[in-house]
Amino acid sequence: MKNISNTSYFNLTMFVNIGNYCYPTFVVCFLVFAFIISANLVIIVVISQEKGLHEPMYIFIMCLSLNSLYGSAGFFLRFLRDLLSDTHLISRPACFTQIYVIYTYASSELTILSIMAYDRYVAVCQPLHYHNKMSSRMVTQLLALAWIFPAFSVSTCVYLASRLPLCGNKIPKVFCANWPVIKLSCVPTVLNNLVGMFLSISSVFLSLAFVLYTYVRILLVCRKHSSEFKRKVMQSCLPHIVTFVNYSITLFCDVALSRINLEELNPFVAVILSLEFVVIPPILNPLVYGLKLPEIRKPILRMLLCSNPKQRKKAKTPQKKAYNK
């Protein structure tokens, strides 16, 4: 029988493989974190200040950026500290807190993307009923669901994992994750596996199936309309499709990595793959929506133009001359 460990710390063993690359890695990761904060804040500020963007689709985009800030802070603040540290021990409460933050971020990202798919479905397939179905009350209820369900489901998993007696403290990752902790258990984890499987099916697979269903319906509607209608639908839906596909791929990589022995992989490949779903979506989302949607891109360019004194002076000069004439 394995010895039960009462240690109050976990050891993140994947940092050992970084070695002398910790300093350049810190610089790169700090710049990435700074970009994530800046880009998502720009999206949030623009949508909150522009009255023309106070519509369901843009509110959901803003919530996506808020969720990116939440998840990035929960990961990067600890990760950057560990990169420059000689020891990579994390206390038991801090580890489970990080698990809760990262997993609620991941689950909320999926629920928000599902709500955005429903919003596009109603806008394309039922345009006459859009304002009735996507009222302010409905938007509030959908956003509450997008935050409450992940919080409840992740809390359940974290609580069950925290009660397990453990026979070790080594986690082969650069951040705390639920499944590696459960694998350290000294007792059978049937209940944890059943609850985890149920919540995974209800939150991940049902969300994926729902998004696919909405886009099948959208494609069927587009077949009956003109090319101009199809172009407008594509312009509206393409950013969401890109973010959804990107997130699905990164989420699949994380799920696949949690089921294999990471120590058998190349250490750099293992680290990069394990960081995908907490790094790539927060970077890609503001770029996709900021560049592809003209309703957001134009206010961003206007804001950047006004922040440059020289450009602002040039912009005002022609108006003054025209007025004098």
Side-chain angles (χ1 to χ4, degrees), residues 287-299:
L287 290 177
V288 169
Y289 288 107
L291 296 176
K292 292 297 295 181
L293 293 179
E295 295 84 358
I296 297 179
R297 183 176 67 250
K298 291 178 181 178

Side-chain angles (χ1 to χ4, degrees), residues 75-88:
F75 166 70
F76 274 102
L77 293 179
R78 176 78 199 192
F79 179 68
L80 292 173
R81 172 189 167 185
D82 285 335
L83 280 174
L84 300 180
S85 177
D86 295 330
T87 60
H88 306 102

Side-chain angles (χ1 to χ4, degrees), residues 76-224:
F76 274 102
L77 293 179
R78 176 78 199 192
F79 179 68
L80 292 173
R81 172 189 167 185
D82 285 335
L83 280 174
L84 300 180
S85 177
D86 295 330
T87 60
H88 306 102
L89 299 177
I90 180 171
S91 66
R92 191 181 180 99
C95 185
F96 285 112
T97 300
Q98 188 179 55
I99 291 173
Y100 175 80
V101 172
I102 291 178
Y103 278 60
T104 49
Y105 148 76
S107 183
S108 297
E109 189 88 357
L110 197 56
T111 53
I112 294 173
L113 288 172
S114 300
I115 291 172
M116 293 174 72
Y118 174 72
D119 173 74
R120 292 300 83 204
Y121 162 74
V122 176
V124 175
C125 301
Q126 303 174 3
L128 298 179
H129 302 283
Y130 180 78
H131 292 290
N132 290 331
K133 290 195 172 185
M134 298 303 296
S135 61
S136 299
R137 182 178 179 181
M138 175 59 71
V139 171
T140 303
Q141 291 175 346
L142 289 174
L143 290 177
L145 177 65
W147 294 104
I148 292 174
F149 178 74
F152 170 76
S153 59
V154 174
S155 296
T156 303
C157 292
V158 171
Y159 172 73
L160 292 175
S162 66
R163 296 177 67 243
L164 292 173
L166 305 179
C167 291
N169 69 337
K170 293 183 178 181
I171 299 178
K173 299 196 75 167
V174 293
F175 61 90
C176 286
N178 196 55
W179 182 246
V181 172
I182 291 176
K183 289 197 291 187
L184 296 174
S185 174
C186 302
V187 297
T189 58
V190 177
L191 179 61
N192 298 73
N193 295 335
L194 290 176
V195 172
M197 185 178 299
F198 171 76
L199 294 176
S200 296
I201 293 174
S202 60
S203 60
V204 177
F205 295 105
L206 288 181
S207 297
L208 295 176
F210 175 75
V211 173
L212 292 175
Y213 168 77
T214 57
Y215 275 105
V216 168
R217 294 293 303 272
I218 289 173
L219 288 175
L220 292 176
V221 170
C222 288
R223 290 179 57 187
K224 303 177 183 178

Side-chain angles (χ1 to χ4, degrees), residues 225-260:
H225 289 77
S226 64
S227 58
E228 179 65 18
F229 178 85
K230 295 176 183 178
R231 186 187 65 79
K232 291 181 179 180
V233 171
M234 181 59 65
Q235 183 181 15
S236 175
C237 296
L238 184 60
H240 179 264
I241 295 173
V242 172
T243 54
F244 175 74
V245 171
N246 166 69
Y247 186 71
S248 299
I249 293 173
T250 57
L251 188 63
F252 173 79
C253 289
D254 182 72
V255 172
L257 284 173
S258 66
R259 302 296 171 176
I260 64 177

